[in-house]
Amino acid sequence: NLSTKVQINSNDEIGSLASAINDLSIELNNYRTNRSELLANISHELRTPISYLKGYAQVIKDGQYKDEEELKVYSGIIEKESERLAKLIEELFELSKMEEGIINLYVQSIEVEEVIESALQKVELKAKKKNISLLYETEKGISSILTDGLRLEQILLNLLENAINYTEKGSISVETKKCKSGICITVEDTGLGIPEVDIPFIFDRFHRVEKSRSRHMGGTGLGLAIVFELVKQLEGTITVESELGKGSKFQLTLPDELQKKSYKNKN
Ligand code: ADP
């Protein structure tokens, strides 16, 4: 039984062994609690879209709709919820692979500017639809770094998509600078902001400021958890500052070169 503690009667080697065993059992218990919390979260997250799918499929099957228009709305919900479900499963799989440390990094010399521009291009249409302007500013002399360019783009896309999703009006600006530990990239928006109480948990799996808002956007609550893991793999750091109603600023730092040599090179 892991809740049984080993009694510590001495300060010698046996005493420290007993204390190490006690620490280990606390850690194991925490791990078990986290794991069952995670499983509860996952099953809840999977159950919700499935109940929508079932409900609306039944409505359609039983012909409980007024007209073609309503039928279109209901099938639209089914389509959207299936997409969300697929995204959720894919992201869960990706997260678990990353946490097990089984992702391959393809490290190359990449032009930071090119990666940022490519990410900005991909979200341009989405921003345009909401009338949000995208701004990009870079310090002179930002050159290439040794990292995984596709992973960096994935991080930026997640941050940019969130910025667009959670901004009603205004702009999103990306800025790059040289900094002590390598390069700093900030993604700042003039959006809804994140309440102070949520900030410490914002990179946790399934943590959302407002569930219904995120659901409406097709969110899974896993985007920032993936960002956090990816940043870790790239040996960087990520922090956030935010003010409710004013906007959020995510700051990413990446080293000029990865220290860990366990990555695969493309060639
Ligand atoms: P989701 O799929 O819900 O967007 P994320 O992990 O990407 O999941 O983000 C977690 C939560 O953090 C979101 O539900 C949202 O409430 C909040 N959030 C993330 N980015 C921003 C942002 N730029 N502005 C305001 N809130 C944000």
Side-chain angles (χ1 to χ4, degrees), residues 196-208 224:
E196 215 180 319
V197 288
D198 289 285
I199 291 191
F201 311 104
I202 209 72
F203 294 101
D204 290 356
R205 282 173 290 208
F206 302 121
H207 187 88
R208 296 170 175 117
L224 286 181

Side-chain angles (χ1 to χ4, degrees), residues 84 87 91 158-159 161-167 187 189 191-195 202-211 213-215 217-227 242 247-250:
R84 231 173 64 79
K87 191 168 160 200
E91 289 186 347
N158 262 307
L159 295 178
E161 276 179 11
N162 275 348
I164 299 170
N165 283 344
Y166 304 110
T167 296
V187 177
D189 63 59
L192 304 171
I194 301 163
I202 209 72
F203 294 101
D204 290 356
R205 282 173 290 208
F206 302 121
H207 187 88
R208 296 170 175 117
V209 173
E210 224 183 281
K211 279 216 155 90
R213 195 205 294 157
S214 155
R215 159 167 297 282
M217 302 290 172
T220 59
L222 290 174
L224 286 181
I226 291 181
V227 163
S242 186
S248 313
K249 181 174 170 180
F250 286 83

